[in-house]
Amino acid sequence: MNLLEEIGTRLKPDIEEVEKIDLEIGPVASTAAAIREPRIGVEGKFSVWFLAALALAEGGITLDKFTDEKVNDPRLVRLRKKIETRLDPRIGFGARVSVKMKDGAEYKAFLAKPKGDPDNPLAFAELAEKYRNAAGLVISADAVEALIEKIKTLEKVNDMNEIVVLTLK
């Protein structure tokens, strides 16, 4: 979970009450996600502004949210316009965020290593949820769950075709 997902999930702020978001990012995010105003869904994947707005507003980022409608959602467009980014090369892949609300409340967080980094690994349950969100777009929910169960006990699988056949359902 990233910083803004955590704030969004834990606090469930009224995004219309956000005054400003200060986001400090490292060099990779500042170049790989540099599309300030995405217009189509795929551009949202490359926009730190959209990703931050989505995470705060909805508490999560999943592949099904990279749609033309979502990147053009007026609520998210207004929120991303309140985001100011600054490059801090010392941050690396981490991030620092400050969310200032109109009532004066301020929420701050810092993450040195993003979730999924070897120094901040995903738990199996988090990895399974990430897999559900991605694989569920192309295979049935039953097949996804069966694959997760197979992966849990991968060392007991004698024939990889047991796994391959599940991807075709």
Side-chain angles (χ1 to χ4, degrees), residues 31-127:
T31 55
I35 299 175
R36 179 110 175 120
E37 295 188 23
R39 299 285 182 222
I40 60 174
V42 72
E43 289 178 342
K45 294 178 181 183
F46 304 99
S47 171
V48 71
W49 296 271
F50 173 73
L51 294 168
L54 181 63
L56 184 62
E58 300 192 6
I61 298 172
T62 53
L63 290 175
D64 62 328
K65 294 180 181 175
F66 293 103
T67 65
D68 297 354
E69 293 77 25
K70 191 65 76 172
V71 298
N72 292 296
D73 178 330
R75 293 174 338 114
L76 295 176
V77 171
R78 283 191 302 274
L79 185 58
R80 74 176 192 236
K81 288 179 186 280
K82 297 176 182 181
I83 299 170
E84 292 185 18
T85 61
R86 278 190 305 284
L87 171 63
D88 183 345
R90 300 170 298 168
I91 290 179
F93 288 100
R96 180 176 290 109
V97 66
S98 171
V99 179
K100 295 174 185 154
M101 306 300 287
K102 290 178 182 176
D103 68 2
E106 187 171 357
Y107 306 100
K108 293 182 178 190
F110 173 72
L111 186 64
K113 302 285 182 175
K115 198 67 171 163
D117 185 274
D119 292 330
N120 188 10
L122 291 164
F124 187 82
E126 293 170 309
L127 190 57

